[in-house]
Amino acid sequence: MDCSSGPAGLEGGQSALVRSAERRLLQLCTSFDPDGEGADDANTVLALALKQQTEAQASLQKRQQRCEEQREAHVDRCTARDVLRAMLPASAREADLLCAHCATSMIFCVVEAAKQAREACAPSDLALVENDLRCLAQQIVEGQHMDGATRHCVDGCQECRHLAAGEERLRSLNRTKGQVTCEQRQSEQQLCFLQSAMTCLQSDHTSRDVECCVCFAR
């Protein structure tokens, strides 16, 4: 490959890619060991690479699951906040605190109680729900322990900021999910290649000692 033309930055980047690709290809040689893994032969090198790629794939799957959980939780919290604000407009701030910090199970309980009070046309019951909402919000502000709740920071609270971002936060989560999906797809392709290479290597009954031009020249 001729990397002599073009800007210096592009030339350096291409050269680095070429060197990296060469190193990875030579790792399948019986003698070359650029990462110092102490592998005795190509089979061992390939087994190590397959193990590392399998672990990377499992890590990406966990990240993908985490992204989906964060997205679903954000949608649920925003929906609950809008419902509580509509039914209890005088307690909009308390609704924000509840939906930003409490566990979704507790949020759903408050929302369901408010809906039932509204549908039953029972102002007294709705007032009791609003009082409970304010008590929960006060506990959040004071930092009292509640199961599944996150701590509220007076200055720059991340949970409150994410809830207030609304659609912008949702778009950010969608972009992150897309990036992880792309990485996962590439990882699956790499894993399939390594598995195929291992199958071919194990099914080859001929001599597996291979000498490349780099080793031969030494």
Side-chain angles (χ1 to χ4, degrees), residues 67-165:
C67 287
E68 293 176 355
E69 291 173 353
Q70 287 181 329
R71 185 186 182 281
E72 292 176 1
H74 179 71
V75 172
D76 290 340
R77 290 176 184 277
C78 288
T79 301
R81 176 201 59 188
D82 294 341
V83 171
L84 289 175
R85 279 185 166 189
M87 291 190 293
L88 304 171
S91 301
R93 174 56 179 165
E94 288 78 3
D96 291 347
L97 287 169
L98 176 78
C99 295
H101 292 281
C102 286
T104 52
S105 57
M106 182 177 294
I107 296 173
F108 292 155
C109 287
V110 176
V111 171
E112 186 62 26
K115 286 182 177 180
Q116 291 178 359
R118 173 62 65 87
E119 291 173 356
C121 297
S124 58
D125 292 344
L126 192 60
L128 290 175
V129 174
E130 187 169 21
N131 183 67
D132 291 340
L133 173 61
R134 290 176 176 176
C135 289
L136 289 171
Q138 186 64 30
Q139 293 178 30
I140 293 171
V141 172
E142 293 176 353
Q144 298 182 24
H145 174 73
M146 289 189 293
D147 291 339
T150 57
R151 296 184 63 85
H152 174 68
C153 300
V154 178
D155 298 325
C157 181
Q158 182 177 3
E159 285 78 7
C160 291
R161 186 170 63 250
H162 284 169
L163 184 67

Side-chain angles (χ1 to χ4, degrees), residues 45-55 191 194-195 198:
V45 172
L46 192 55
L48 288 172
L50 185 59
K51 178 177 180 294
Q52 293 172 356
Q53 193 61 41
T54 302
E55 292 174 351
L191 186 60
L194 290 172
Q195 289 172 340
M198 178 63 78

Side-chain angles (χ1 to χ4, degrees), residues 166-179:
E167 289 296 326
E168 182 180 350
R169 171 65 175 167
L170 184 60
R171 287 192 293 270
S172 176
L173 290 171
N174 287 335
R175 286 194 298 269
T176 301
K177 181 181 177 181
Q179 292 171 357

Side-chain angles (χ1 to χ4, degrees), residues 9 27 31-32 38 44 54 66 80 114 117 165 168 199-201 212:
Q27 277 191 317
S31 302
F32 195 69
T44 305
T54 302
R66 177 59 177 164
E168 182 180 350
T199 300
C200 292
L201 189 61
C212 67

